[in-house]
Amino acid sequence: MQEQTQIIVAENVHKWYGKFHVLKGVDLIVDRGEVVVLMGPSGSGKSTFIRTFNALEDYQEGSIRINGITLSNDLRNIELIRQEVGMVFQQFNLFPHLTILNNVTLAPIWVHKLSKIKAKELAMQLLERVGILEQANKYPGQLSGGQQQRVAIARALAMQPKIMLFDEPTSALDPEMVREVLDVMKNLAREGMTMVIVTHEVGFAREVADRVILMDSGSLVESATPELFFTAPKQERTRKFLSQIL
Amino acid sequence: MTHSKPPLWRDHRFWQIIVQLAAVICAILIVVILGLNLNRNLQQLGIKFGFNFLQQEASFDIGETILSYQPTDTYTRALLVGLINSLRVAIAGIFLTTIVGITAGIARLSDNWLVRNISLVYVEIFRNTPLLLQLFFWYFAVFLSLPNVEHKASVLGLIKFSQNGIELLGLNFSPEFSTLLLGLTFYTASFIAEIVRGGIQSVAKGQWEAGRSLGLKPSLIMRLVVLPQALRVIVPPLTSQYLNLAKNSSLAIAIGYPDIYFVASTTFNQTGKAVEVMLLIMLTYLTFSLIISFLMNLLNHTVQIQEK
């Protein structure tokens, strides 16, 4: 029964880059449909941590289960997990040689073996949902940063993931484009998507997150509802962090 | 004040035109001087310039021909046979070297230690030894050391090796052709491997990560995402390698493969028409090169990323 509600179970995750201890025994349980925001100073390991969820980073100790599948060195498990987990990057990472439409249909066609027509239908739906439908035949280089990031979200959604990871999705955007991306993310949260988001957008975290977590030097410092996190943090470290960003 | 015209000698457009003009005049002068010099020397030696010799009987045999050819045919026919032999080895070479080069280039970046290092050793050996030496190696150490026809070695029955060369699906290739083809292929491919490696490494790491996070297998990411982007870096230097291969095919003479250079130099020996024969050879290789460049420019145009 527990597996039904808990979609991400990370226990005692350790990671070293050579001698540098990046993740120092991190535990995190995320429930289905939950929106978790990870905050923390740069170098605190928050990006590294969420990148272990889809095996973009490996880890040396501990265990991670995603939707009941244990993340190990088994290639088949890694492939299965990557199909359950979508990811949006700070630098968008769209494929510059493909049109917007082909960016979105590539993985459905080659991984889910969708027909070209089915994949196009799906892509058009998603592009409409993120408000980029008119740009379907353009190339990524012809779009603004905000538009590119919305395409990146559509591309990830095209694989119909159960979890979406966002790694600082608005950090590379011009200020006036942050909102259009956050709006798409808000809608996604409202529709019940499980989301783990690394971001510094306090307004967004307050409005959308079920839980906000502070991470510092490879450990989780505090985890609380946004209300408590921003108004009555328990830890001194959290207060110090908030005083710097608010 | 701001709209006043500068004096001519301070106008950069004036100087641009002057420099262009000076360059053209120099070029014309050099050609004229060389031409006059040639003409005077030919007259002193009593040699007449002209291409009439092309209609004379060649009266030498050519070992390997695609077109029918006999020693009673004209020099034109002989040169045509040589030209076709050159084209045959150059076209097959470009095709094979692309496959070997891309494979070796990708292998250089393999996660597998053995694959990566085999490719490294191959690239370093073939890139750093003279092509002529490699041709001798293929010819004397490989083909002439193979078993004779009765005991030919066979791979899956498809391809058979012997002193008589390679037999592939019923087609026979002489040891000379095979030597030149393999020599050019593996020599050029070692350079192409490095170009391909550089091209692949020029693609941002985020492209791999995006592909992996979408659940694409590494081989698919390479094929669908990375290689198409790497091509825009790969194609321009690849053109140079194709040009090198076409021109290096003239080393055929060292192992006795009758390419255009081989036939032309026999023609020159027999007729003494040095200038005419040199002109023909230059024209031939220039045409090869221009055709390759033209085709590669078309390819380059299609692989460049569209933006804005």
Side-chain angles (χ1 to χ4, degrees):
Chain A
M1 252 350 257
Q2 235 183 11
E3 286 298 329
Q4 293 298 315
T5 53
Q6 301 181 345
I7 195 164
I8 301 175
V9 181
E11 283 170 337
N12 194 30
V13 177
H14 283 271
K15 180 179 173 68
W16 285 265
Y17 279 126
K19 279 189 177 164
F20 179 54
H21 203 172
V22 205
L23 299 175
K24 299 172 182 164
V26 188
D27 295 294
L28 178 71
I29 292 175
V30 178
D31 287 339
R32 225 168 266 278
E34 199 179 5
V35 176
V36 175
V37 164
L38 271 176
M39 293 191 145
S42 63
S44 59
K46 49 197 192 312
S47 287
T48 308
F49 184 45
I50 70 164
R51 284 158 59 91
T52 59
F53 297 170
N54 64 348
L56 285 187
E57 301 279 352
D58 57 358
Y59 58 97
Q60 280 83 43
E61 270 178 39
S63 79
I64 296 176
R65 257 176 307 145
I66 305 289
N67 203 25
I69 310 165
T70 302
L71 191 53
S72 60
N73 287 328
D74 186 337
L75 283 174
R76 197 191 300 168
N77 278 4
I78 291 177
E79 274 171 31
L80 284 175
I81 284 174
R82 283 186 178 151
Q83 292 180 32
E84 308 273 327
V85 181
M87 187 160 207
V88 174
F89 301 87
Q90 184 176 355
Q91 299 296 339
F92 330 135
N93 294 347
L94 292 180
F95 306 132
H97 61 300
L98 299 177
T99 61
I100 298 307
L101 180 65
N102 290 340
N103 262 275
V104 181
T105 58
L106 187 76
I109 288 173
W110 289 92
V111 181
H112 282 168
K113 311 286 180 201
L114 246 57
S115 69
K116 276 190 179 166
I117 299 166
K118 279 266 160 58
K120 191 180 168 182
E121 267 173 32
L122 172 69
M124 289 309 217
Q125 263 172 28
L126 289 166
L127 287 174
E128 186 167 19
R129 200 159 132 196
V130 300
I132 310 278
L133 194 57
E134 324 77 68
Q135 325 273 8
N137 292 316
K138 289 191 180 166
Y139 286 86
Q142 295 169 298
L143 269 55
S144 72
Q147 290 173 326
Q148 289 192 50
Q149 194 60 300
R150 285 187 278 151
V151 173
I153 294 172
R155 180 176 70 174
L157 290 176
M159 290 301 285
Q160 316 203 291
K162 301 205 170 57
I163 302 164
M164 284 285 284
L165 306 173
F166 293 84
D167 188 3
E168 305 206 24
T170 57
S171 299
L173 295 177
D174 289 338
E176 72 266 29
M177 289 168 187
V178 169
R179 188 188 198 129
E180 62 189 57
V181 172
L182 292 181
D183 283 344
V184 169
M185 290 167 64
K186 272 181 213 165
N187 285 334
L188 206 54
R190 246 176 246 137
E191 288 158 22
M193 177 65 78
T194 309
M195 296 162 75
V196 181
I197 305 159
V198 173
T199 186
H200 300 297
E201 296 292 334
V202 174
F204 174 81
R206 274 176 186 259
E207 191 187 334
V208 181
D210 296 307
R211 195 147 46 113
V212 183
I213 295 173
L214 181 74
M215 203 163 165
D216 188 34
S217 346
S219 307
L220 299 191
V221 175
E222 179 155 7
S223 167
T225 61
E227 182 65 20
L228 283 173
F229 186 91
F230 290 111
T231 55
K234 288 202 185 75
Q235 303 292 328
E236 179 56 33
R237 182 69 190 90
T238 313
R239 279 194 283 277
K240 199 177 153 216
F241 176 74
L242 290 175
S243 73
Q244 278 159 347
I245 64 164
L246 287 176
Chain B
M1 271 306 282
T2 50
H3 290 289
S4 74
K5 238 180 117 187
L8 198 57
W9 47 271
R10 249 172 50 203
D11 189 331
H12 75 99
R13 286 166 302 180
F14 169 75
W15 286 107
Q16 278 173 351
I17 292 167
I18 289 293
V19 171
Q20 297 275 348
L21 266 179
V24 170
I25 290 167
C26 280
I28 291 172
L29 272 178
I30 289 170
V31 171
V32 168
I33 290 169
L34 287 177
L36 290 173
N37 191 29
L38 174 69
N39 196 25
R40 192 175 62 240
N41 284 337
L42 286 176
Q43 273 176 358
Q44 274 174 6
L45 292 168
I47 301 172
K48 273 208 189 104
F49 184 86
F51 288 94
N52 291 334
F53 71 95
L54 287 175
Q55 305 312 318
Q56 293 164 16
E57 186 182 305
S59 62
F60 61 84
D61 203 0
I62 296 179
E64 195 170 347
T65 62
I66 296 287
L67 296 176
S68 67
Y69 171 81
Q70 280 133 20
T72 50
D73 284 330
T74 60
Y75 282 115
T76 311
R77 184 80 179 174
L79 288 167
L80 193 63
V81 167
L83 178 67
I84 286 179
N85 280 343
S86 282
L87 281 175
R88 197 157 71 104
V89 82
I91 291 168
I94 284 173
F95 178 72
L96 282 180
T97 203
T98 308
I99 294 171
V100 177
I102 290 177
T103 309
I106 292 174
R108 284 280 274 117
L109 298 166
S110 169
D111 288 333
N112 184 316
W113 183 91
L114 189 65
V115 171
R116 192 169 64 235
N117 282 284
I118 286 175
S119 177
L120 173 73
V121 169
Y122 156 68
V123 167
E124 293 306 334
I125 288 177
F126 280 78
R127 204 163 61 129
N128 293 309
T129 52
L131 174 56
L132 187 59
L133 194 74
Q134 291 180 28
L135 289 175
F136 286 146
F137 168 79
W138 286 107
Y139 194 59
F140 294 111
V142 178
F143 280 102
L144 296 191
S145 308
L146 283 171
N148 58 26
V149 196
E150 288 89 66
H151 302 97
K152 58 192 165 194
S154 163
V155 182
L156 299 170
L158 292 173
I159 182 162
K160 291 167 186 151
F161 297 95
S162 73
Q163 283 185 355
N164 282 27
I166 298 175
E167 189 189 323
L168 173 70
L169 303 167
L171 291 168
N172 277 302
F173 302 103
S174 73
E176 290 77 23
F177 175 83
S178 306
T179 293
L180 190 61
L181 180 61
L182 292 182
L184 289 171
T185 295
F186 283 97
Y187 176 75
T188 316
S190 65
F191 291 89
I192 293 178
E194 286 298 278
I195 292 169
V196 169
R197 180 173 72 101
I200 290 171
Q201 284 178 325
S202 76
V203 177
K205 215 178 84 212
Q207 295 289 306
W208 284 97
E209 291 184 346
R212 282 156 69 195
S213 74
L214 288 168
L216 289 164
K217 287 193 175 76
S219 56
L220 278 179
I221 302 176
M222 180 64 92
R223 206 177 98 203
L224 302 171
V225 176
V226 175
L227 267 187
Q229 293 181 65
L231 274 183
R232 79 202 142 107
V233 180
I234 291 173
V235 168
L238 193 60
T239 310
S240 307
Q241 293 308 322
Y242 288 170
L243 295 175
N244 279 345
L245 186 143
K247 289 180 291 178
N248 285 340
S249 71
S250 60
L251 283 173
I253 199 165
I255 46 159
Y257 175 71
D259 77 326
I260 179 73
Y261 187 80
F262 184 102
V263 175
S265 91
T266 309
T267 304
F268 156 64
N269 281 337
Q270 294 188 173
T271 59
K273 295 281 185 182
V275 178
E276 293 86 340
V277 170
M278 280 303 145
L279 276 177
L280 282 177
I281 292 175
M282 281 164 67
L283 201 67
T284 307
Y285 286 103
L286 184 66
T287 313
F288 275 14
S289 296
L290 289 177
I291 291 171
I292 291 171
S293 293
F294 174 74
L295 293 176
M296 291 303 281
N297 279 340
L298 286 184
L299 177 64
N300 194 31
H301 187 71
T302 61
V303 300
Q304 292 305 322
I305 291 182
Q306 304 203 24
E307 267 172 89
K308 301 225 157 128

